[in-house]
Amino acid sequence: MIRIERRLEQPRRLVVVVPVVSIVVAFLIATIVLLATSHPPLHTFRRLFDAAFLANGALTETVVSATPLAFTGLAAAVAFRMNLFNIGGEGQLYAGAITGAAMGLLLAGAPSPVVIGLMMVAGAAGGALLAAIPGVLRAFFSTNEIITSLMLNYVLALVIDYLIFDSHSYLRETKGFEASVFPQGKKLPPEATWSSWTIHGLALPLGFLVAIGLAAAVWGLYARTRFGFEVQVIGDSVRAGRYAGMRTRRKILAVMCLSGAIAGLGGASQDGDFRHQLDPRGLTQANYGYTGIVVAALARYNPFAVVLVAFMLGGLQNAGYTLQGADFPAGLVGVLQGLILFSVLGGELLIRYRIRFDRRPAKAEAAAPEPAS
Amino acid sequence: MKRGKLALVLPLLAFAGVAVLALGPATGAARSHKQAAAFKAAWIYVGPHNDHGWSQAHDQGRLYVQSALGSKVETTFKENVPEGPQTCQVIESLVRDGNKIIFSTSFGFQDCMVSEAKKHSDVFFEQATGTAQSTNLAEYFGRAEDAIYLSGMAAGAATKKGVIGYVVPFAIPEVIRHANAFALGARAMHPGAKVRLIWTNSWLDLGKEKKAAQSLVSAGSDVLGQNVDSPATGQYAESKGIPWVGYDSDAHTFAPKQWLTAAVYHWGPYYLRRVKAAVSGTWKTGFYYGSLNDNFVGLAPYGPKVTAKTKKAIAAKKAALLSHKFYEFAGPLYDQKGKLRVKKGQHLTVTQLYTMDWLVRGVIGSAKG
Amino acid sequence: MNNSLLVVVLAQGVVYGTPLLYAALGELLAERSGVLNLGVEGMMLVGAVMGFWAVQRFHVSSPLALIGALAVAALAGATMAAIHAFLVITLRANQIVSGLALTIFAGVAGLSSYLGNDLNLAKSPARHQFQAIFPKSLQDVGVVGPILFGQSALVYASWACVVLVALYLTRTRAGLNVRAVGESPAAADAMGINVARYRYAHTLLGGAFAGIGGATFSLSITPQWLAGLTQGAGWIAIALVIFAFWRPTLCLVGAYFFGAFTYLPFALQKYHWAPPPELSQSLPYVMTVVALVLVSSRAARLRFGAPAALGLPYVREEN
């Protein structure tokens, strides 16, 4: 009989070996799939890595995908570490994009650093405000935050559509030839364009650097402060936290808002770094929020790892567009991406659990719930 | 987080390791030697290439180029491309793959086309339905309204009750002028006919298109037409025994009994000209507005329900359009409220068509969606 | 009278609610056993494409072809669910992430799109489709005609499924065991119930239902294949399960309610009364949140709440 039990200690060796093995396994399965569908595997992998990381300008494009994923990944990681399953990063990103764009338009003419700074504040506030809804409901009414945050994603997608397609809102461009051809958001003034720095041909947008800074801040918050400690205690057991005299409700609300603020910042970065207008179709077709959850989980909620994984998945996404074409169906791209995710996810088991083979039937004992992280 | 740090670095290392394995001794630079001879051209679609509508019509144009030029060109496409920063990534990857001319087929791609055209002056860019031009970015579209007018005539001839349903995507000038042309054509064959609009707020969504069609039928329409991309309206029409006028592509297989005709685009000849010009170095920017005369737009083959009399009337109108004796957007034209919008003797210009925001008399529905 | 707003919207609510109902029943079974599967959209799409493939390829009489197609769709959905089951039950992976990965793998830009392309399914409409089964005279009966008698066999079959699932969960040994597994796997294990086996069975069953839900689109509502034709129905189905407090009968009510709301904006445009379509489209989501808040009190949660072990892997601990 095969038994699986939780490891008390996780050997370093495994932390090294397992991710490597899972990725190799992913590529082995992918090879089989590619051979079965008569596409040359080596050529495909070469194109994948080329498009994601190696080719001229590929890294710059990868960072475009990685930036929002780093934000939504951090947003998910912050909440998931407390066992708060905020899957509303998608909607909170939209909310931040709305408030960020509004702020950018309002402040037209002000000095650029002020505009950019306040856009970030507005984006964070927008995301936090939206996340506060499931936060309050969870903290004070014990309402399951998975569903409430998921539902709000749809509502916000509809709000964006309404603002640009079905109303003459402040954010919609109503003048000019182009705007009369197709509904679109007002172009942000030039001072609302976030700076970017080019190093050896790699363009680093301000948003990406902010995300890296945030990762450090989140790490510091959780590893070095009392707040972080209490959050982890409450995450493990709300009751334990309460007995220890911690204000659990406030913490729940605070963490949800923090998570939403980070996602909202990502939304503002979409406005400032990339789109320079509120762009409903671009935002809602990208699924950054949901992919961010995958990022956070693969990074095992470690903030620095989130940035790295966001970079990898950003590359994978960017490469996906390169791979598909007349001779490579779009559907196969998703299959390959899914396979890589499945393998990495499956490999996690070997780090956390020990597998034993023995013959005597096991006796059942009490099961403990999964600890955080 | 005791074990954290290594855990982050290692997947990356593994990723890099596989990369090195995959790349082997060769590097990216050596890649494209084999096909150096073929000229590369690419298309970007907003939907799937086989949607039986807009994107499929473009893809047929692509295949037309491929079969006309054979091994001299290598064509490819990207489908279901999101209209956001991802568009730029797609264009960037196409340029990197060595494509020398790129056709973008949705208005939402325009921002990225503009910025990428600036970045890559050695690549030719072509934007359909757009509004921006530069030295290496051209615009193209066509007078679909002429063909839609003719398809509206088929609908007008088929209606008995004088109520025609028209499924429309977004309340934008392109769609409004198409709906107007359709209504004008229908009313030419059935004076006093009403054309009802229902908006779906989506270019391609089978479910919404069917719901819109249902709602139109329950409001009394006995003929259906559409300006949206999929044949869902036609399938519903077939199940209800109601004649149907399609759009973009010939989709008669989806409603063999009820198919009347459709205004269709022949993008192929234009694409072929432009790719040839790009190959020979004579490519120049510009705004191309194709017409019936250059067979850019036309009618799909008729279905069994179109009578000989209707065919004759349509053929006569088509001849008049071809010889410029007739123009559907010539005055007098009244709007929904009966206000005179275009005086007798006046013609709407292309710019006016591109900003049209009012519906002609006989159309029931709002121009605001 | 049958053309009045209320009757039309109710009748269409049943039509458009049916795929949601199938998918939600499936998700309900999986969740009752403690497995949250966010990959419903992916499973529905694979079901839709394989069901469509089957109906094009099975050269038999119409009813047989359709039944065969449903079986293929169910099998396809269950196969997708098996990936999730293996990852989260055997390998104890995070259920939320695995479900999202399944959506990427199978969804609109994944396996379903690949299969549709490779099998060249987009080129023609379905050779057979589910149609209204009652005679026209019965369909035209006032009010109840269009709502109750104007439907296809898929609708009536879904009613049977609701009854069967409800009876199964409340009246059978196995059903009670499922609930035990979802509420307290450790206790269930102690009672000698094989937790993993129950979870596998119900996750797979959930996938089969999702597959049929997807096939409802490609064989009945819009009988053709186009990548992504479910348009997010899988996500609504997940919401629906919660909206229905994990009760099959409430799933039916909720599905028709949600279905009606997807049709409502189109019905209203006819009356030249066009509130922003976003308003009625967002109502189901807002209502779900409200409903959830209403039953969040401690007492209500015990009666109506989520299975206590939902989303948690079960590991047998030994000393």
Side-chain angles (χ1 to χ4, degrees), chain C residues 3-20:
Chain C
N3 223 351
S4 71
L5 182 65
L6 190 66
V7 174
V8 169
V9 169
L10 282 177
Q12 297 308 325
V14 174
V15 172
Y16 294 106
T18 299
L20 303 178

Side-chain angles (χ1 to χ4, degrees), chain B residues 108-120:
Chain B
F109 300 149
Q110 178 166 279
D111 285 355
C112 279
M113 287 293 279
V114 170
S115 62
E116 294 293 320
K118 245 182 236 157
K119 252 164 89 180
H120 304 285

Side-chain angles (χ1 to χ4, degrees), chain A residues 172 180-181 183, chain B residues 168-176 199 201 366-369:
Chain A
R172 177 175 175 177
S180 71
V181 173
Chain B
V168 272
F170 293 103
I172 59 170
E174 170 189 329
V175 177
I176 287 175
W199 304 95
N201 280 322
S366 153
K368 295 220 168 62

